[in-house]
Amino acid sequence: MNTEIATLSSLSPEAIDEKLMMATISDREFWSKHARSTLGPLLSLAGTYTASDQASHLRFFDEHVVSCLGSQKVEPKVEYWASPDLAGTRFEVSLNLTTRGKAKVRLSFDLLRDGTGPDPFGENNAREVLHRLCSATGGDPRLMDHLMEAFFLTPSETEALREKVRPHMQIPPACIAFELEGHRQILKAYIPVVRKAAMGKPAADVALSALRDLDTLGYDLSYNLDLLGEYLASRQGEANPVMIGIDCLDPKTNQGSRVKVYVHFESCTFARARDVITLGGRLSGETIVKKVNLLRSIWHLLLNEPDGIPDDKIDTWAKPERCPGAAFSGVLFSIDLAAGKKMPDIKIYVPVFQYAERTETAFRNSDAVLKTVGHEWGQTGRFNEVATAVFGQQKAHGQSHLSYSYTESKGVYLSAYFSIPVFHGEQMTKVYDILD
C-alpha cells in the first residue's frame, strides 16, 4: 500500500484520475469514456463533421470497436512488437490535413492476443473481427480475404513459429483503422508480413507475390509492382516490407481504393527519403521534384531542428534517436498503389517522438510544418491549439508520427498520429529481433 501511495504521489492529477478510473469501471466503460475525451473532441474541432456525424462515429465506436480493444490494463512483462506506423498502440487517432481538402479524422488500433491456446498468434480471432467490422461498415472483404490467406500461417507454420518466438511476444495479427468520412466509417485493414517472413521466406517475395494477379478483384497493379519489385531488389538488406494495408472497398466502384506496401528502413536521412520517393530514380517529373523539394523545406522541423540543418549535411545526417532500435525507430514509407492509377503515391512516416522529448514540442513543430507548406492550420496556429486542447492535458496520448506526401490533386498531405504507447524505452524490442 505504501508503494502504491508513493507511486500515486509522483503522478500528475490527470494521471491519478486515469488510474482511479481504471480501478473502478469496466473495460467497456473505460474505452467509451476515453473515446469521448479524445476522438470526440477531435471530431468536433476538426470543423468537418456535423453534430450528427460526430454522434454516428461515437455510436459506432461503442457498438463495434470497444469490444476489440480488450483490457484497459496490459501485463507489463509482455514484450510488444507492432507495425512501426502504429508505434505499439492500443488506441490511436490521427488528423489528416491537405492543402486542397478538408480535415479528416481517423481511428486505429492493434489487435492483441494472449499467445496461448490453439490460436497463439490471434489469426482466427482477427479473421472473425475483420469480417464482423467489414459487414458493419458495408465494406468489400475479397481483397482482405486474399491477404489473410497469403499472410496468415498454416497450422504447421503456426506450430513451427510457436517454438521460435519468445514467450509472451506480441505480434499483432492485424491492425485496424477507420477513415471517418462524413457519417460513414471506411474500414482499413493492415496485415503484417513478419510472421510469414519469419518462416524463412524473403519479406519482399512474400509481400509482392500476394499482390500479383489481382485483376479479378479489380486491381491492375502489375506496372507499379514491377517498379516496386525492381527497387526492393536493388535495396536488399536495407528495405524491409513489414505489412500491407488496404481500403476494404470494391475498387470497381471506388477508383481511389488503395493497396499500400509499408517498407521500413533503419536509417532516417533526407537522402534515404529522396531515394524512396523517387524509387531510386524510377519516378520523375515536375510533381516528384516538387514533392522532394517541399519535403526538404520541412525536414529540419520533422527532426526537431528548428534552427535548420546546414545544406552540406542535410542529405546524410541522421539525428540520434531517443529510443534507438525500437520497432518504430528508423523511418517508414508506404507505397500506395491505387486502382486505375499508373504512378504510385509514396508517403513518409517520420517518428517525431524520437526527436522531441515533449509532445508539446512535436505539436509546435507540426504547426510550423503546416505554416511552411502554406496550410491555414499552420498559418493561424490552429493545429497547435487543437492538439493541445485535445491531448495536451490528459497525458495518455503523445504525437508519435507525422506523415507527408504531395500530389497534384490533394496538394501537400500531412497526417499527425496521436497514440497511447504500450511500453517505453527499456521494454521496446528491435524490429526483427523477435526470435530466439
Side-chain angles (χ1 to χ4, degrees):
M1 180 63 72
N2 289 340
T3 301
E4 192 166 325
I5 291 173
T7 300
L8 286 174
S9 68
S10 67
L11 298 174
S12 67
E14 295 84 2
I16 291 174
D17 289 344
E18 183 94 345
K19 274 188 168 291
L20 291 174
M21 183 173 74
M22 289 174 67
T24 58
I25 68 173
S26 68
D27 294 331
R28 180 173 289 274
E29 284 181 282
F30 172 82
W31 289 117
S32 182
K33 286 178 180 291
H34 188 77
R36 281 156 177 79
S37 70
T38 52
L39 176 61
L42 191 59
L43 286 168
S44 176
L45 292 171
T48 304
Y49 303 92
T50 66
S52 176
D53 294 339
Q54 296 171 47
S56 170
H57 296 313
L58 291 173
R59 184 167 57 251
F60 179 87
F61 182 89
D62 286 345
E63 293 176 357
H64 300 287
V65 176
V66 164
S67 61
C68 303
L69 298 178
S71 174
Q72 57 194 287
K73 301 175 184 177
V74 177
E75 167 56 49
K77 293 181 180 178
V78 173
E79 296 178 88
Y80 192 85
W81 186 94
S83 53
D85 70 313
L86 295 180
T89 185
R90 304 287 308 288
F91 177 85
E92 177 183 72
V93 289
S94 60
L95 177 65
N96 174 247
L97 299 165
T98 66
T99 50
R100 296 175 188 162
K102 296 180 179 180
K104 290 184 181 180
V105 175
R106 295 175 182 140
L107 160 70
S108 57
F109 57 91
D110 292 351
L111 283 177
L112 302 185
R113 59 35 147 180
D114 64 10
T116 62
D119 188 24
F121 301 110
E123 294 178 339
N124 294 338
N125 178 63
R127 278 194 181 90
E128 186 277 323
V129 170
L130 282 167
H131 276 113
R132 175 165 54 80
L133 294 174
C134 194
S135 176
T137 56
D140 185 329
R142 292 177 298 164
L143 181 54
M144 179 180 77
D145 286 338
H146 174 83
L147 293 181
M148 287 192 288
E149 182 67 25
F151 296 142
F152 282 6
L153 303 175
T154 65
S156 61
E157 288 173 332
T158 296
E159 288 306 309
L161 193 59
R162 191 206 296 256
E163 298 300 317
K164 295 181 180 181
V165 173
R166 295 199 297 266
H168 305 300
M169 174 62 70
Q170 286 282 4
I171 309 174
C175 310
I176 295 172
F178 300 95
E179 182 162 333
L180 307 181
E181 185 79 51
H183 68 280
R184 297 174 59 223
Q185 301 85 27
I186 299 173
L187 177 65
K188 299 171 181 293
Y190 302 84
I191 313 294
V193 179
V194 65
R195 288 183 307 281
K196 204 75 170 182
M199 300 309 300
K201 302 173 184 176
D205 292 351
V206 172
L208 295 177
S209 64
L211 300 179
R212 300 283 183 188
D213 304 320
L214 296 181
D215 299 36
T216 57
L217 300 182
Y219 290 94
D220 179 11
L221 305 179
S222 55
Y223 174 75
N224 282 329
L225 286 176
D226 288 342
L227 279 180
L228 179 57
E230 290 174 10
Y231 177 72
L232 293 176
S234 70
R235 301 294 185 271
Q236 287 186 31
E238 301 175 86
N240 299 301
V242 291
M243 68 179 176
I244 305 295
I246 62 168
D247 298 323
C248 297
L249 297 170
D250 181 352
K252 294 178 180 177
T253 55
N254 297 273
Q255 278 296 301
S257 182
R258 300 163 301 169
V259 175
K260 306 173 74 172
V261 182
Y262 287 83
V263 179
H264 180 260
F265 290 84
E266 291 186 2
S267 64
C268 182
T269 66
F270 182 73
R272 169 66 67 202
R274 181 178 55 222
D275 181 68
V276 181
I277 287 171
T278 64
L279 289 184
R282 292 170 178 81
L283 302 181
S284 59
E286 185 178 340
T287 299
I288 296 296
V289 170
K290 187 171 183 178
K291 183 175 187 174
V292 171
N293 288 340
L294 280 167
L295 179 59
R296 187 185 182 95
S297 73
I298 61 175
W299 188 251
H300 63 293
L301 297 169
L302 297 174
L303 301 188
N304 190 29
E305 292 291 324
D307 295 330
I309 302 170
D311 287 343
D312 62 344
K313 294 183 178 179
I314 191 171
D315 274 9
T316 57
W317 182 62
K319 184 170 182 176
E321 296 178 329
R322 294 172 55 227
C323 304
F328 29 92
S329 64
V331 64
L332 185 76
F333 297 86
S334 69
I335 294 86
D336 296 13
L337 314 175
K341 292 188 178 181
K342 280 295 185 183
M343 182 178 288
D345 175 29
I346 299 175
K347 297 184 178 73
I348 180 172
Y349 299 76
V350 178
V352 294
F353 82 97
Q354 289 278 19
Y355 309 113
E357 267 193 45
R358 299 176 61 84
T359 198
E360 295 91 341
T361 304
F363 293 168
R364 290 195 298 272
N365 289 339
S366 297
D367 215 53
V369 166
L370 287 159
K371 183 177 181 179
T372 300
V373 301
H375 196 288
E376 179 187 3
W377 278 49
Q379 293 169 338
T380 62
R382 181 164 175 76
F383 177 87
N384 190 29
E385 291 175 2
V386 169
T388 300
V390 179
F391 305 105
Q393 299 302 317
Q394 50 84 36
K395 306 299 181 186
H397 285 256
Q399 185 177 345
S400 60
H401 288 70
L402 189 66
S403 69
Y404 160 83
S405 184
Y406 172 83
T407 64
E408 283 299 317
S409 59
K410 293 182 179 179
V412 175
Y413 174 110
L414 295 160
S415 287
Y417 295 82
F418 307 97
S419 302
I420 301 178
V422 174
F423 301 118
H424 300 284
E426 68 276 10
Q427 294 163 317
M428 294 176 179
T429 54
K430 293 181 180 179
V431 179
Y432 292 108
D433 183 22
I434 64 169
L435 305 178
D436 285 326

